[in-house]
Amino acid sequence: MRLKLLTLALALAAISLPSHGTDLLDAYHDARANDPVLAQADATRLATGEGVDQARALLLPQINGSMSLNQTNGGNLMGHSRSRSIGGTLSQTVFDFSKYANLKAAHSASAAQDELYQAAAQDLYVRVATAYFGVLTSEDALTFAKANEDAFRQQYEQSDQRFKVGLSAVTDVYQAKAYYEAAKSQTITAQNTLNDAREALTQITGKPTGDLKKLRDDLPMDPPTPADQDSWVKQALQTNPSLLAQKNNVETAQHNITAARAGHLPTISAGVTYGKGAGWSETDAASRYRDPASTTIGLTLTVPIFSGGATQSRVRQSIYERDSATDAMESQRRQVIRDTLNYYRSVIAGIAQVESAKASVDSGQKALDATRAGFEVGTQTMTNVLLAIQTLTSSESTYSQARHQFILNKLLLRETAGTADLKDIETINALLQ
């Protein structure tokens, strides 16, 4: 039996048929609504932003009211007496340099978290696309594994028949069976990989993964725009949100140093105090009294003299934290440069890789046809046929991976540059059918 089924299966796998399944944009919208990673980043951003209001509140008027009611027992003869007081205070910071510095630090910390949220939002584009194409790649791999298994099965059955009629040696039968059994194991592995890939997408979207639309055959193999890696690096250093967050962390640390050093400075606060009281006795009506209301207005100057070395320690601690933040920023800057160059070069290399992989598939199919024909006339061995089958399916798998990775690398490049947005997902989605 000739190996027509392999050719048919691989041809069907290579053709992107129209589909009515879920597309990438659908998956993204589900993820945007259900992804806990992005939701966590948003909650953290909002929580950090509250620090600005709390720091500002310390510079605004503080108003407190108080009321007390006391009773003093004097025994059976004396009875008891009671007193009541009502008061209120209003205080306002006039000068406290540490509070102003803390407000600036809170703004910087909030800005850093805003950038981290933007990084998480852009990362969601990549995570969804990676999981989506992970499913497509795994589906292709399973198709190729099944085709491989079926081809080896046919070759095994053919060898067995030829051995029974004396046209081949038993070695061919054993060899074909070994390849067939190995292919069955590969199919099982491919199925498990596909199941996990589907769960990976479900983990992000929060919904079961159904049929997905596939990439069409005619992919535009365009290089990055602009076609200059230095321009991409310059853009990334200006707009990468993770790097911007680190810069804001350095600013926060610098403001914290200022706040710590302000612990050596005097503070001035203004205050208004209002109070009145009254008292009476159970047995002595003459002892009743009512104090007139009084209001006190004044300024308080507080001069720090000695705090046991705590202020100096806080300054040193803040300096160390600033140094740590600076080192983290430099590390992030170098990582951004490396990632930008890597993804730019990967996109450029991907164009040649896709074209080479496609040519390899064409050559592999022709080689299999020629080897199979040679085996029929005795000029090729069983080993050559089995190797030709493996080569073809391997080429098909490489071609599938190269196509999907090319699309992902373009998205990763834009994420590293800090410019990924929904339009990128829509552009990729237009390539599906």
Side-chain angles (χ1 to χ4, degrees), residues 134-144 194 198 210 212 214:
V135 174
L136 296 188
T137 300
S138 298
E139 286 178 345
D140 287 348
L142 179 59
T143 299
F144 304 145
L194 174 58
R198 288 181 173 276
L212 302 181
K214 299 180 179 294

Side-chain angles (χ1 to χ4, degrees), residues 224-268:
T225 303
D228 174 32
Q229 64 180 24
D230 292 336
S231 296
W232 281 95
V233 169
K234 182 179 179 180
Q235 177 71 51
L237 293 177
Q238 293 176 347
T239 56
N240 180 277
S242 296
L243 181 57
L244 294 178
Q246 292 292 354
K247 291 180 178 179
N248 281 303
N249 286 339
V250 173
E251 291 183 11
T252 301
Q254 190 62 55
H255 291 313
N256 286 337
I257 294 175
T258 302
R261 285 173 173 164
H264 294 292
L265 301 177
T267 62
I268 301 175

Side-chain angles (χ1 to χ4, degrees), residues 355-372:
E355 294 174 349
S356 177
K358 183 177 181 180
S360 178
V361 171
D362 295 337
S363 298
Q365 183 63 64
K366 294 176 181 178
L368 175 59
D369 294 339
T371 305
R372 191 174 55 198

Side-chain angles (χ1 to χ4, degrees), residues 149 151-160 169-183 375 382-383 386:
E149 177 187 341
F152 286 135
R153 178 185 60 80
Q154 294 180 46
Q155 196 66 39
Y156 165 61
E157 292 173 351
Q158 183 182 21
S159 299
D160 189 53
V170 70
T171 304
D172 289 346
V173 179
Y174 293 151
Q175 191 175 40
K177 181 175 175 54
Y179 274 81
Y180 171 50
E181 294 298 336
F375 178 74
M382 171 63 68
T383 300
L386 297 173

Side-chain angles (χ1 to χ4, degrees), residues 3 76 79 114 124 127 134 153 172 204 210 214 218 224 250 270 277 298 304-305 338-339 354 373 394 398 406 433:
L3 304 180
N76 294 330
D114 288 342
L124 182 62
R127 290 193 292 118
R153 178 185 60 80
D172 289 346
I204 301 174
K214 299 180 179 294
D218 56 331
V250 173
I305 297 176
R338 176 187 173 185
D339 289 344
V354 171
S394 176
T398 300
F406 174 74
Q433 62 180 19

Side-chain angles (χ1 to χ4, degrees), residues 145 149 178-192:
E149 177 187 341
Y179 274 81
Y180 171 50
E181 294 298 336
K184 289 168 63 176
S185 176
Q186 292 172 357
T187 300
I188 295 173
T189 300
Q191 181 64 65
N192 287 338

Side-chain angles (χ1 to χ4, degrees), residues 222-224 227-228 342-353 406 409:
D222 301 324
D228 174 32
N342 176 53
Y343 292 130
Y344 179 88
R345 293 163 182 165
S346 295
V347 173
I348 297 298
I351 297 174
Q353 288 173 338
F406 174 74
N409 284 339

